[in-house]
Amino acid sequence: MTAPRQTQPGDDPLREVDMNRREFLLSSATAAGALGIGGYGVAASHVKELILQPASFALRGGQITNGMVSLSPDAPPPVLYGKQGKVMRLPVRNTLPEYTAMHWHGLRIPNAMDGVPYLTQMPMGENELFTYEFTPPDAGTYWYHPHCMTMEQMAHGLTGVMVIAEPENPGFDSEQVINLRDFRLNDDGSFLPAFTQRGAARSGTFGNVHTVNWLQSPTYDHAAGGLVRLRVVNTDTTRTYKLHLSASDARIIAWDGHPIEGEVPLPVKETPLLVGPGQRVDIAVAMPTDEGQTVDLIVKLPGQPHRAMVRLRAIRQSQARDLRELRPLPANPVAKPDLANAELHEFVFGWTPEGGIPDNGFCGTLGYNFWSINRKPWPGDAAQDVGPLAILKMGKTYVLRLRNESPNTHPIHLHGLAFKPIRSNQRKLPPLMTDTMLLLKDEVVEIALVADNPGDWAFHCHVIEHQKTGLTEFIRVI
Ligand code: C2O
Ligand code: CU
Ligand code: CU
């Protein structure tokens, strides 16, 4: 069941992917478990080089936006398809004059492949190549983005989705990747400055053109009565999306890559799902049975009526599938925390008491500090000669108490390890395994983890303006 591709790159998705379009479609479908992908992707096994380069794209109406950053000249970064337990080799070449480094968000891979400048590798200069090679231990929905010149390159487009397929398709007819992000554009389609001092000191600077896979309100066709796996990924630099579906024949099956244990309520208009920057949610949707009927993913933006970010349209004869036919997603091999023997570490996130000038090495600075962890502002993308915030011992369980002392929400992200939110002073937490915890205003959350991946793991807010102005550090596992 191959859904028509709505993003038409016009030629090969990557300049140096050595295959023609037919092979490209076949291999992507194979990598995704013989599913229609309803997007634009590439099997990691076919990647020759991922080439960071300038791009142009009609983001706003017919207006071409120049000065974008992608992996091809005229299309969004492709969905990268891998398989759980199968090696992925991703040579990244930087053709931009600015430095970069590529990070694979949520993947529990060896530290040296994590793509954090100064911490796990040196920044990559112009024409440099760095070959990332790793075997994803977990299936699920992940993503990739630069961790050097993070603001500039992400705000200009360089955020892509990674799909790590389970060994077996749990019973979907097709899937749909939904890369949510905003761009900050003038009326003529040119970029506005990606950040502002005012924004960085508050909840961040918001984009004004809302896109899915770089398109405004796209429609994707899927088989009537079929079972679709939505992979919703918030790759925005700032916005926490408030989402719900127009249909009720749907179920949340995974969060931040990991299968949900038990049922969580489906978000509705009055109680939408909050998906913070960096977070992902997988939703199983049963398509309506009549051709032409639709399911919308709806967002509430401040001061605006609800709007459909993306529409799924039923096509052809009904497949007459039922959500109950789906096999449960197998749990990922994440170690269970041993809470009885856990050691506690405390972290406080807030404004900085004194805003020294940040030093981000070759990786770009916004020029000021507003934020802190444990009352210290940390250098953005250049963790040289600082930290770690905590040293964890291999194999031991830790509880990290995350305290938000600010009125802003912070998606707190830890690299290299998955953790379980166990307690909040404000709400009942769903049964999740995650890599990014959305901390609400004045919230205190405890998360538990087993320190089972050695290395220096970046630990930061995923509102990039916060990350770049003090709210970032790292945790060492030895
Ligand atoms: Cu999405 Cu430090 O990462
Ligand atoms: Cu990450
Ligand atoms: Cu933040």
Side-chain angles (χ1 to χ4, degrees):
M1 228 45 50
T2 300
R5 300 187 317 148
Q6 299 287 317
T7 309
Q8 298 293 348
D11 49 15
D12 282 341
L14 298 172
R15 202 158 51 192
E16 292 198 22
V17 170
D18 59 343
M19 56 186 148
N20 61 35
R21 172 176 297 189
R22 186 174 154 71
E23 284 170 329
F24 155 65
L25 282 170
L26 287 173
S27 59
S28 321
T30 314
L35 301 176
I37 56 169
Y40 151 50
V42 62
S45 53
H46 282 75
V47 173
K48 219 179 195 178
E49 274 186 8
L50 298 168
I51 302 172
L52 265 75
Q53 57 190 285
S56 303
F57 198 82
L59 288 174
R60 178 166 225 174
Q63 312 267 29
I64 298 284
T65 298
N66 294 314
M68 300 191 71
V69 180
S70 187
L71 300 175
S72 54
D74 53 5
V79 179
L80 296 177
Y81 287 95
K83 277 190 173 171
Q84 183 175 22
K86 290 274 173 336
V87 66
M88 298 177 83
R89 196 169 172 276
L90 299 162
V92 172
R93 185 176 295 282
N94 179 24
T95 70
L96 304 170
E98 295 83 36
Y99 284 82
T100 195
M102 195 66 91
H103 170 60
W104 320 96
H105 181 123
L107 292 183
R108 299 187 299 135
I109 54 180
N111 196 239
M113 297 293 123
D114 199 43
V116 179
Y118 302 105
L119 201 59
T120 72
Q121 68 172 88
M122 287 309 283
M124 298 159 57
E126 191 171 0
N127 288 322
E128 276 187 63
L129 177 84
F130 190 101
T131 298
Y132 296 89
E133 193 170 324
F134 48 77
T135 302
D138 304 318
T141 304
Y142 302 90
W143 64 295
Y144 62 98
H145 61 82
H147 226 281
C148 174
M149 301 305 287
T150 313
M151 191 67 205
E152 293 73 6
Q153 293 175 2
M154 283 179 68
H156 291 136
L158 191 57
T159 64
V161 174
M162 285 182 100
V163 169
I164 307 299
E166 294 82 15
E168 269 178 59
N169 174 2
F172 289 102
D173 298 294
S174 58
E175 60 178 59
Q176 182 63 57
V177 165
I178 295 175
N179 179 354
L180 291 173
R181 50 164 316 165
D182 300 345
F183 291 95
R184 267 174 61 75
L185 303 178
N186 289 303
D187 287 344
D188 65 1
S190 61
F191 277 110
L192 283 162
F195 58 88
T196 59
Q197 277 214 22
R198 188 187 155 78
R202 296 176 174 77
S203 30
T205 304
F206 292 88
N208 57 354
V209 174
H210 313 288
T211 68
V212 163
N213 306 334
W214 286 18
L215 304 171
Q216 289 187 72
S217 307
T219 296
Y220 294 106
D221 290 345
H222 288 271
L227 300 180
V228 184
R229 179 176 187 164
L230 296 188
R231 296 179 184 269
V232 180
V233 187
N234 179 356
T235 77
D236 196 54
T237 53
T238 313
R239 188 178 304 283
T240 294
Y241 292 92
K242 296 181 177 172
L243 300 171
H244 75 279
L245 284 174
S246 65
S248 56
D249 205 0
R251 189 166 30 149
I252 297 184
I253 55 170
W255 184 265
D256 294 335
H258 300 282
I260 296 254
E261 302 164 28
E263 292 267 320
V264 296
L266 202 64
V268 292
K269 194 172 178 185
E270 299 69 35
T271 50
L273 187 66
L274 300 190
V275 182
Q279 296 190 301
R280 296 85 69 201
V281 57
D282 286 36
I283 310 174
V285 179
M287 288 295 288
T289 50
D290 292 336
E291 175 138 37
Q293 287 184 309
T294 57
V295 174
D296 293 342
L297 179 67
I298 298 167
V299 68
K300 178 72 181 89
L301 298 164
Q304 292 185 30
H306 284 82
R307 78 149 80 192
M309 286 296 283
V310 54
R311 168 164 288 181
L312 308 180
R313 181 173 55 200
I315 54 163
R316 298 190 294 269
Q317 252 178 307
S318 177
Q319 305 284 305
R321 298 287 310 281
D322 188 303
L323 281 178
R324 283 167 300 192
E325 294 166 32
L326 288 176
R327 286 178 296 282
L329 294 173
N332 283 323
V334 180
K336 292 255 173 310
D338 169 17
L339 291 176
N341 294 297
E343 187 179 304
L344 178 72
H345 286 263
E346 304 211 45
F347 303 94
V348 177
F349 306 99
W351 284 311
T352 164
E354 85 313 307
I357 300 295
D359 166 21
N360 284 342
F362 289 129
C363 288
T365 164
L366 307 195
Y368 32 79
N369 268 329
F370 292 120
W371 295 94
S372 63
I373 305 180
N374 296 349
R375 308 209 160 79
K376 246 184 104 154
W378 302 91
D381 280 326
Q384 297 171 103
D385 311 318
V386 297
L389 271 181
I391 299 180
L392 313 185
K393 294 235 171 64
M394 271 295 280
K396 269 188 63 77
T397 292
Y398 293 87
V399 170
L400 313 186
R401 183 177 292 154
L402 316 179
R403 178 187 300 275
N404 182 5
E405 280 193 338
S406 79
N408 308 101
T409 57
H410 301 282
I412 300 296
H413 172 48
L414 177 61
H415 289 211
L417 300 160
F419 58 81
K420 192 176 172 60
I422 51 175
R423 206 172 292 129
S424 159
N425 65 342
Q426 292 187 11
R427 53 184 164 144
K428 188 170 175 292
L429 297 168
L432 305 176
M433 267 297 170
T434 173
D435 49 63
T436 309
M437 178 75 219
L438 192 63
L439 268 191
L440 306 178
K441 174 182 191 301
D442 298 325
E443 191 176 29
V444 183
V445 170
E446 288 179 2
I447 63 174
L449 58 82
V450 178
D452 59 359
N453 197 3
D456 287 345
W457 300 110
F459 181 53
H460 63 87
C461 179
H462 228 290
V463 170
I464 306 301
E465 281 159 286
H466 296 173
Q467 177 193 355
K468 294 291 294 186
T469 62
L471 219 163
T472 184
E473 238 280 356
F474 71 94
I475 287 179
R476 176 167 291 161
V477 177
I478 51 168

